[in-house]
Amino acid sequence: MKSLLITFLLALAVFRAGAIDLPTMGWSSWNTFAININDSLIMSQADAAVKYGLSDVGYRYINIDDGFFGGRDKASGTLLIHPTRFPRGMKPVVDYIHALGLKAGIYSDAGANTCGNWANGDTIARGVGMLDHEDIDADLFFRRLGFDFIKIDFCGGNPEANTGRLDLDPRERYERIAQAIANVGRKDVRMNVCRWNYPGTWVNKVALSWRTTGDIDCSWKSVKRIVKENLYLSAYCGGGHYNDMDMLEVGRTLTQEEDKTHFGMWCIMSSPLLIGCDMRNIRPETLALLKNTELIALNQDPLGLQAYVCRHDAGTYVLVKDVEQYQGLSRAVAFYNPTDAPVKMSVAFADIQLAGTIAVRDLFEHQAVKLRKGDAQLVVEVPAHGCRIYKVTGTERLQRVRYEAEEAYLQCYQELYNPKAVGTAYYEEDASCSGGAKVANIGLRPENDLQWRNIYVKEGGDYQLRIRLVNADEKSTIYAKVNDLDGVKITAADINAGIVTIATTLRAGDNLVRLSNSKALMPEVDYVEVVKK
């Protein structure tokens, strides 16, 4: 237990040292209170975060969501604060949060109105979005008031959710707002894009995190939907930028098993962790779960990686990611069972690239798992709606052979528009594929490609890449490029039973393998295998 606490503290130390930003941890007002907030409520939540030790394990952001707006000054355009909910304004609230050693977060919209104004009837909040007020609002929020975080919604830019039927371009709006924040001169402000679907690969340069799904609600159906939508987004998490699976519903009306799954999956997938319950009345079992430092250490791991699917069977998933050291000897493994019946699940240690003497620790139960001598796999009974998470450590790291297409980075990937209509590649589940999914709709322009960016080999040298294609035909043409080597043209004559083999040279460490066709659609892609010659 002592060594695990040290690991957790080291992760926090790396975070505070600024190696990379790690997922935001804190509390947000929306899930429990919606627009029904006030200054005393917000300050009491900050008190509770300290009182119950939540701030000590990383929950440091106290975020005020929609409901604080009071319109705009007609002459200057300055944002006004709600006169009865926050009668003294926002500065005393921010100062109170900061005095407790915490960070303060705020909310706005990229368009003219907020979601609370549109959907919750908060009529005093007309015209309070950042559209045409980017610089004045950024100056108010981050220089004059001293907020440290902002969530920026998009109701005011979605024609279905604003009175002006504005249909705004998300990239233009969020890039403009990011520039306004940068103009304030602070480099520590965390910006969260809330466009309700993965908006496009441009967002990685704009925000620290971005919502990838519609709003969560306190139901198993909602949690299950959100996990599914994030299963194949690991390629877009990295370098201190994260897929946001929305605020936590832990501690409200889900079952304890569902709460565990909800929290555990958010942790291993490196989503921001924003508590959504009323912390003043938090139940002991909820507090214990939210303060599980072994799970938090996965979320705040200094590598900042999202777990990827390494096995998919009959509606269940095994996910894995490196922790502590890239290509090291320790990996986190989650067994996720979203079905309505208990399931026995397993994964071979070799399939998560670990060998030698294996040690397994249960991160929910805080105890070692006893293995029998010669055990080659971890077998787990997972209840309905359940999740079990382990840290697995070996004495040898094996070189990975197969990389699934659903782990690859798609340069044009986005979820705002029909990918077939706008010509962008996408991930699709397919039971005939090795990992249960594939990538489709690659090609027609140079940038609509597939990139495996982490083909890792211990030793540089000559290798074969064996790529499995789906639905290849006599017209199939692919251009394959490895690192900065000359590209290779692959035609139907090079494809044998759906497999194309490429001889190439790889360097020690990570390698980039890119598949593209600038003029025609490519066959769908299942996986690539990397074999030393």
Side-chain angles (χ1 to χ4, degrees):
M1 185 67 179
K2 183 177 179 181
S3 64
L4 288 158
L5 178 60
I6 291 172
T7 297
F8 171 68
L9 293 174
L10 284 173
L12 285 182
V14 171
F15 166 50
R16 290 167 181 156
I20 62 169
D21 289 321
L22 298 177
T24 304
M25 293 178 62
W27 174 87
S28 180
S29 59
W30 184 258
N31 281 7
T32 295
F33 301 103
I35 62 172
N36 302 307
I37 58 174
N38 57 59
D39 50 6
S40 62
L41 169 68
I42 300 302
M43 291 187 289
S44 68
Q45 296 296 327
D47 288 336
V50 174
K51 176 182 177 180
Y52 294 114
L54 289 160
S55 60
D56 292 336
V57 296
Y59 297 98
R60 301 170 62 227
Y61 286 80
I62 303 298
N63 293 347
I64 304 168
D65 208 286
D66 210 344
F68 69 89
F69 297 99
R72 287 192 182 274
D73 181 84
K74 293 182 179 179
S76 66
T78 300
L79 194 66
L80 302 177
I81 305 303
H82 200 287
T84 56
R85 297 171 186 164
F86 296 86
R88 298 184 300 148
M90 277 294 178
K91 192 66 166 68
V93 179
V94 175
D95 289 346
Y96 188 87
I97 293 169
H98 284 164
L100 293 174
L102 305 175
K103 300 286 188 179
I106 199 63
Y107 165 95
S108 191
D109 193 283
N113 64 262
T114 69
C115 296
N117 169 232
W118 172 258
N120 298 75
D122 207 16
T123 55
I124 195 174
R126 290 192 181 100
V128 295
M130 296 187 81
L131 182 65
D132 299 327
H133 298 88
E134 297 87 359
D135 293 304
I136 192 173
D137 284 2
D139 185 73
L140 172 66
F141 288 143
F142 308 115
R143 186 183 66 82
R144 294 167 55 192
L145 296 178
F147 282 103
D148 309 290
F149 170 100
I150 187 167
K151 168 188 168 184
I152 305 170
D153 234 328
F154 207 75
C155 283
N158 180 357
E160 298 177 354
N162 65 80
T163 55
R165 295 293 185 262
L166 297 176
D167 189 4
L168 304 179
D169 178 76
R171 180 172 186 174
E172 187 280 327
R173 291 302 304 130
Y174 285 114
E175 287 181 345
R176 174 68 182 88
I177 292 168
Q179 185 58 56
I181 295 172
N183 291 344
V184 174
R186 288 181 55 185
K187 297 182 179 180
D188 61 333
V189 173
R190 292 183 165 218
M191 176 173 159
N192 173 265
V193 164
C194 187
R195 183 54 188 85
W196 319 308
N197 282 296
Y198 182 76
T201 53
W202 54 266
V203 77
N204 190 276
K205 297 180 180 179
V206 173
L208 183 132
S209 59
W210 43 83
R211 281 276 295 282
T212 55
T213 70
D215 288 355
I216 195 171
D217 63 59
C218 200
S219 69
W220 171 248
K221 180 180 178 181
S222 179
V223 171
K224 178 180 175 179
R225 168 183 59 83
I226 288 172
V227 172
K228 184 172 183 178
E229 290 186 48
N230 280 271
L231 285 172
Y232 305 125
L233 297 183
S234 61
Y236 310 99
C237 172
H241 302 271
Y242 304 95
N243 297 309
D244 178 9
M245 298 164 70
D246 205 2
M247 299 165 285
L248 295 168
E249 294 283 8
V250 173
R252 301 191 70 207
T253 62
L254 296 170
T255 69
Q256 181 65 10
E257 195 66 57
E258 290 166 350
D259 266 354
K260 288 172 61 178
T261 299
H262 178 10
F263 185 66
M265 293 301 289
W266 264 239
C267 284
I268 199 167
M269 298 179 86
S270 293
S271 173
L273 300 177
L274 293 175
I275 299 168
C277 66
D278 185 344
M279 294 190 293
R280 299 170 300 181
N281 306 310
I282 197 164
R283 299 193 299 268
E285 62 271 23
T286 300
L287 187 62
L289 178 60
L290 291 172
K291 290 177 67 176
N292 184 326
T293 55
E294 298 189 54
L295 290 175
I296 292 172
L298 299 186
N299 182 267
Q300 299 289 293
D301 185 80
L303 298 178
L305 301 176
Q306 175 175 321
Y308 62 87
V309 176
C310 69
R311 183 167 182 173
H312 177 199
D313 293 307
T316 66
Y317 301 85
V318 180
L319 293 89
V320 64
K321 72 172 183 177
D322 283 350
V323 291
E324 300 171 11
Q325 180 183 348
Y326 182 59
Q327 296 293 329
L329 297 177
S330 291
R331 311 202 79 189
V333 182
F335 295 82
Y336 171 56
N337 174 23
T339 75
D340 297 328
V343 177
K344 180 179 284 188
M345 301 175 62
S346 66
V347 70
F349 297 124
D351 288 343
I352 57 172
Q353 291 79 57
L354 293 176
T357 302
I358 301 290
V360 179
R361 183 171 178 84
D362 187 323
L363 302 190
F364 279 112
E365 298 300 324
H366 308 293
Q367 63 185 17
V369 175
K370 293 182 179 180
L371 299 175
R372 296 173 301 181
K373 186 176 181 181
D375 276 353
Q377 63 180 345
L378 182 59
V379 181
V380 183
E381 293 277 358
V382 186
H385 304 183
C387 174
R388 297 293 181 261
I389 300 180
Y390 304 89
K391 180 180 178 183
V392 183
T393 302
T395 55
E396 180 183 355
R397 180 65 182 254
L398 304 177
Q399 186 163 294
R400 190 175 176 187
V401 174
R402 180 173 294 185
Y403 294 77
E404 302 292 345
E406 56 268 28
E407 301 165 43
Y409 179 88
L410 311 180
Q411 192 176 176
C412 290
Y413 186 68
Q414 56 78 39
E415 296 178 351
L416 299 184
Y417 313 103
N418 184 322
K420 293 183 179 179
V422 299
T424 57
Y426 59 90
Y427 308 97
E428 183 176 58
E429 290 200 339
D430 185 334
S432 71
C433 293
S434 72
K438 63 188 178 185
V439 171
N441 213 45
I442 313 165
L444 292 176
R445 48 193 168 120
E447 65 273 21
N448 189 35
D449 60 4
L450 177 152
Q451 300 179 17
W452 284 289
R453 294 180 162 187
N454 62 335
I455 302 295
Y456 183 89
V457 295
K458 296 178 182 179
E459 298 179 359
D462 294 331
Y463 286 81
Q464 284 187 340
L465 303 179
R466 299 172 184 169
I467 302 168
R468 181 176 184 267
L469 306 172
V470 181
N471 299 327
D473 59 29
E474 66 278 1
K475 297 181 180 179
S476 296
T477 303
I478 304 167
Y479 295 87
K481 186 173 176 61
V482 178
N483 297 325
D484 53 0
L485 301 176
D486 291 338
V488 177
K489 182 179 179 180
I490 301 164
T491 65
D494 303 307
I495 303 171
N496 182 15
I499 301 291
V500 59
T501 301
I502 302 169
T504 191
T505 301
L506 299 180
R507 60 195 178 205
D510 281 335
N511 293 265
L512 170 66
V513 175
R514 177 176 182 259
L515 305 181
S516 65
N517 187 325
S518 62
K519 297 180 180 179
L521 279 178
M522 280 177 40
E524 297 160 342
V525 182
D526 183 1
Y527 61 78
V528 62
E529 290 185 337
V530 183
V531 181
K532 189 95 164 67
K533 290 184 68 175

